[in-house]
Amino acid sequence: YNEYKSYLRIMAKVQISNVVVLGNPSPFLSPFQFEVTLECIEDLPHDIECKIVYVGSAESEEYDQILDSVLVGPVPRGKHMFVFQANPPDPSKIPESDALGVTIVLLICSYLGKEFVRVGYYVNNEYEDIELRENPPEKPCFDKVQKNILATNPRVTRFKINWEDKPQEEAHVSCNNVTQSSSADDGMVQMPPVEMSMDAMAF
């Protein structure tokens, strides 16, 4: 019986069933936009924290930028969809050597301060102008760069957490920006249930 109760505590109560990347590709200095669909198997009394993180350099986490963080909740049982928009990264905090090419953007969700899922996308940054691609300026011109998120190939990592622990602090925010779907289908393409190890996510 005690083992069963422990299993219930760590069983995932929320799944990200779908993520749609909106406005892609787009100028580098335009916002990131993700349409996120959550599925809750029971009412959650506390907020889910979602944040978008831009990896500025593969060399060091010190260049990671949290583009935005929102609290969603409390979340009732069922399927819910919301659009998460975040400002672009600050170009001045990105090493010039890492301004162009492939990097990563992460969508991270936590409950009671514990991360339970992250969805990672490769992002390719390049000049739209062919001449600039062939002869790039010494200093990056971010207003001429286009970002292209590889939306069809997300990397998903799920973490087992204890869903019943009480939070030490909680800033309560109503869930007005979350819409409950009336149907389990809604014509959405479901995200493939890809399980990745932590090593695979160490981009």
Side-chain angles (χ1 to χ4, degrees):
Y1 177 71
N2 289 335
E3 290 181 358
Y4 179 69
K5 287 204 301 183
S6 297
Y7 169 76
L8 290 179
R9 282 197 296 269
I10 65 173
M11 184 177 65
K13 298 185 179 182
V14 181
Q15 296 281 357
I16 293 184
S17 61
N18 193 50
V19 178
V20 178
V21 180
L22 304 177
N24 184 56
S26 63
F28 182 88
L29 298 177
S30 65
F32 283 90
Q33 296 183 82
F34 297 96
E35 182 184 273
V36 183
T37 302
L38 301 174
E39 288 193 54
C40 259
I41 65 170
E42 65 179 68
D43 295 349
L44 292 179
H46 305 292
D47 297 325
I48 295 172
E49 181 185 17
C50 299
K51 60 184 176 181
I52 295 174
V53 178
Y54 183 86
V55 178
S57 173
E59 301 299 322
S60 174
E61 292 183 2
E62 71 175 294
Y63 299 108
D64 290 359
Q65 297 185 46
I66 298 177
L67 304 184
D68 203 352
S69 178
V70 296
L71 296 177
V72 179
V75 183
R77 183 175 180 268
K79 179 178 284 190
H80 311 274
M81 182 273 289
F82 66 99
V83 174
F84 189 4
Q85 178 173 303
N87 289 328
D90 182 348
S92 67
K93 297 179 180 179
I94 300 173
E96 292 184 0
S97 59
D98 294 302
L100 301 176
V102 178
T103 186
I104 301 292
V105 65
L106 300 170
L107 172 64
I108 299 174
C109 295
S110 305
Y111 186 70
L112 302 179
K114 292 167 289 191
E115 180 180 344
F116 64 88
V117 67
R118 66 169 55 189
V119 183
Y121 291 94
Y122 290 105
V123 183
N124 185 39
N125 297 316
E126 64 179 1
Y127 289 112
E128 291 188 79
D129 188 277
I130 296 178
E131 291 187 10
L132 287 175
R133 291 185 200 173
E134 295 176 349
N135 300 289
E138 185 175 339
K139 193 171 183 64
C141 298
F142 287 94
D143 60 337
K144 300 183 184 301
V145 173
Q146 181 184 69
K147 65 174 182 282
N148 186 8
I149 301 172
L150 304 184
T152 59
N153 192 28
R155 296 290 186 264
V156 182
T157 303
R158 299 176 179 89
F159 305 90
K160 291 182 179 179
I161 67 169
N162 187 336
W163 294 83
E164 297 184 358
D165 283 351
K166 300 296 182 183
Q168 293 181 351
E169 286 185 35
E170 181 179 16
H172 185 73
V173 177
S174 66
C175 190
N176 294 329
N177 62 332
V178 175
T179 304
Q180 182 164 8
S181 301
S182 57
S183 166
D185 295 323
D186 293 329
M188 292 183 298
V189 178
Q190 297 299 307
M191 177 180 294
V194 182
E195 292 287 354
M196 302 293 292
S197 67
M198 284 298 293
D199 290 336
M201 285 296 293
F203 295 105

